[in-house]
């Protein structure tokens, strides 16, 4: 009889241990600094007038988050770019821009350099949602306005293009892609949850991701995600290189993310996207009959601490 009770007791203890929940939320410390080092390679395939055109865009950068205050709802962080670089390989040739390049004739690289170590504020919840990005667009404006030789119209065009890629809304979505991954309650291995994210980078898109807590080691928790991405407003035209364009795109994304067991901060994230559809140029003096451009975008991204 004692053996039976011993087995039952051991079984209860084992079941209790196996079902112990894990808190996957962020647990950042005031006064500490956290980094994201991003490397992204996107291959864009477009078909223009029956001819395929390939472009490979590589983006790299380091962004630092310094936690200056902690509240029940999340974190207020002084944020800055330490490095920013971009290269584009096109049929016409290759262009390279970098915040570390010291060339006064390279306007875009000089603008990136002017943004290095300039602080703006990010407010992040404990589930990784970005609730606010402050002052970043003013910093870009200051960086661009230093070029007094540029016509005002050209300055405004540069501001518009940079805001689409690195403005408050674009940064919010780009950061959330790898930070808004946490469930709103403790979970067990094998549990799943869903997160909705709005992406803003030249166009608006909605991303719905099903995440799963797949593994727990002594140092990290592993979260895997499968996402669906779709253009938010297929009828909305936006200015792109001086021409009105709209997009009708859908796609998918897979992510494999290791987060630190103690802080919840991302150790490493591997993300793969594939998006397909059509871009439409509205009738305008440059394109009198408008144009439909079939396109495919394949993006491989690695983010480390």
């Amino acid at each position: 009889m004692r053996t039976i009770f011993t087995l039952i007791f051991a079984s209860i203890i084992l079941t209790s241990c196996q079902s112990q929940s894990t808190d996957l939320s962020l647990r950042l410390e005031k006064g500490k600094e956290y980094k994201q080092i991003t490397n992204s390679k996107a291959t864009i395939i477009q078909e223009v007038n029956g001819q395929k055109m390939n472009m490979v865009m590589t983006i790299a950068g380091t962004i630092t988050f310094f936690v200056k205050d902690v509240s029940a709802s999340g974190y207020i962080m002084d944020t800055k770019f330490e490095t920013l670089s971009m290269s584009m390989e096109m049929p016409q040739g290759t262009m390279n821009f970098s915040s570390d390049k010291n060339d006064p004739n390279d306007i875009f690289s000089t603008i990136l350099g002017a943004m290095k170590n300039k602080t703006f504020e990010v407010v992040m919840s404990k589930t990784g949602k970005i609730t606010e990005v402050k002052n970043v667009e003013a910093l870009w404006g200051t960086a661009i306005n230093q070029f007094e030789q540029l016509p005002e119209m050209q300055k405004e065009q540069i501001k518009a293009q940079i805001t689409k890629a690195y403005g408050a809304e674009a940064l919010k979505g780009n950061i959330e892609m790898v930070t808004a991954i946490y469930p709103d309650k403790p979970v067990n291995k094998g549990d799943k949850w869903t997160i909705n994210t709005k992406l803003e980078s030249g166009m608006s898109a909605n991303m719905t991701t099903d995440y799963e807590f797949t593994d727990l080691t002594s140092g990290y928790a592993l979260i895997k995600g499968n996402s669906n991405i779709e253009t938010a407003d297929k009828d909305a035209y936006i200015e792109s290189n001086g021409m009105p364009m709209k997009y009708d795109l859908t796609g998918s994304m897979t992510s494999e993310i290791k987060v630190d067991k103690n802080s919840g901060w991302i150790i490493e994230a591997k993300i793969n996207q594939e998006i397909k559809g059509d871009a439409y140029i509205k009738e305008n003096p440059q394109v009198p009959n408008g144009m439909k451009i079939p396109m495919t975008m394949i993006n491989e991204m690695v983010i480390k601490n």
Side-chain angles (χ1 to χ4, degrees):
M1 182 68 72
R2 176 181 293 178
T3 303
I4 292 172
F5 279 123
T6 302
L7 287 172
I8 292 171
F9 183 72
S11 177
I12 290 170
I13 293 294
L14 181 61
T15 303
S16 175
C17 290
Q18 287 177 334
S19 63
Q20 186 176 4
S21 296
T22 301
D23 181 6
L24 292 180
S25 65
L26 288 167
R27 297 173 301 283
L28 309 182
E29 294 182 38
K30 184 177 178 179
K32 279 201 170 182
E33 191 175 80
Y34 302 85
K35 289 181 185 285
Q36 279 187 2
I37 302 167
T38 301
N39 285 280
S40 170
K41 181 181 179 181
T43 302
I44 303 164
I45 305 164
Q46 298 179 332
E47 191 174 316
V48 181
N49 295 326
Q51 288 191 323
K52 284 192 175 180
M53 297 176 59
N54 289 11
M55 178 175 76
V56 178
M57 181 182 295
T58 304
I59 297 174
T62 300
I63 187 169
T64 300
F65 302 84
F66 175 79
V67 181
K68 64 179 181 180
D69 202 8
V70 180
S71 69
S73 58
Y75 308 96
I76 300 173
M77 299 186 283
D78 280 339
T79 308
K80 63 185 178 183
F81 298 108
E82 289 189 357
T83 60
L84 279 170
S85 67
M86 179 188 301
S87 70
M88 290 180 283
E89 298 174 32
M90 300 175 289
Q92 302 93 323
T94 301
M95 294 187 291
N96 295 290
F97 308 103
S98 171
S99 59
D100 292 333
K101 191 185 288 188
N102 187 19
D103 181 358
N105 296 316
D106 185 339
I107 292 174
F108 193 65
S109 290
T110 305
I111 291 169
L112 295 180
M115 281 296 289
K116 281 177 61 174
N117 299 317
K118 299 293 192 302
T119 301
F120 56 97
E121 190 174 277
V122 169
V123 182
M124 183 185 293
S125 75
K126 292 184 178 180
T127 58
K129 283 281 185 182
I130 306 299
T131 56
E132 201 168 7
V133 177
K134 296 181 182 178
N135 198 39
V136 69
E137 286 166 14
L139 290 176
W140 282 116
T142 301
I144 294 164
N145 286 336
Q146 68 179 302
F147 295 96
E148 297 178 359
Q149 73 275 24
L150 292 179
E152 199 61 35
M153 184 178 292
Q154 190 175 351
K155 287 183 186 178
E156 291 304 316
Q157 287 176 343
I158 294 172
K159 283 179 190 176
Q161 293 297 323
I162 284 181
T163 298
K164 287 175 186 175
Y166 296 108
E169 287 302 312
L171 278 175
K172 183 176 181 290
N174 290 340
I175 296 170
E176 278 191 353
M177 193 184 295
V178 287
T179 62
I181 61 172
Y182 305 93
D184 57 7
K185 60 184 178 183
V187 289
N188 298 313
K189 199 163 83 168
D191 282 354
K192 297 180 180 181
W193 60 96
T194 301
I195 303 288
N196 295 310
T197 307
K198 189 171 183 180
L199 305 176
E200 294 281 354
S201 186
M203 64 174 181
S204 296
N206 296 320
M207 184 171 76
T208 301
T209 308
D210 294 321
Y211 287 108
E212 182 180 0
F213 175 24
T214 61
D215 198 11
L216 182 65
T217 73
S218 59
Y220 66 84
L222 182 64
I223 300 170
K224 293 185 178 181
N226 287 288
S227 310
N228 291 314
I229 303 169
E230 187 173 9
T231 307
D233 187 348
K234 295 178 174 64
D235 297 319
Y237 283 93
I238 60 171
E239 285 289 322
S240 180
N241 296 320
M243 287 189 286
M245 297 186 70
K246 68 176 182 180
Y247 297 89
D248 184 358
L249 303 171
T250 58
S252 61
M253 183 177 90
T254 60
S255 48
E256 187 172 298
I257 305 166
K258 293 178 181 178
V259 300
D260 185 83
K261 190 175 177 181
N262 296 317
S263 68
W265 192 253
I266 291 157
I267 297 170
E268 183 181 59
K270 296 178 181 178
I271 296 170
N272 292 284
Q273 289 179 338
E274 184 168 345
I275 300 171
K276 294 182 178 181
D278 300 306
Y280 296 87
I281 301 176
K282 193 176 185 179
E283 293 180 12
N284 65 82
Q286 293 172 278
V287 188
N289 299 317
M291 186 181 293
K292 175 183 173 180
I293 305 172
M295 63 193 305
T296 299
M297 292 182 286
I298 301 168
N299 190 12
E300 300 173 353
M301 187 184 306
V302 176
I303 298 171
K304 294 184 179 182
N305 180 5

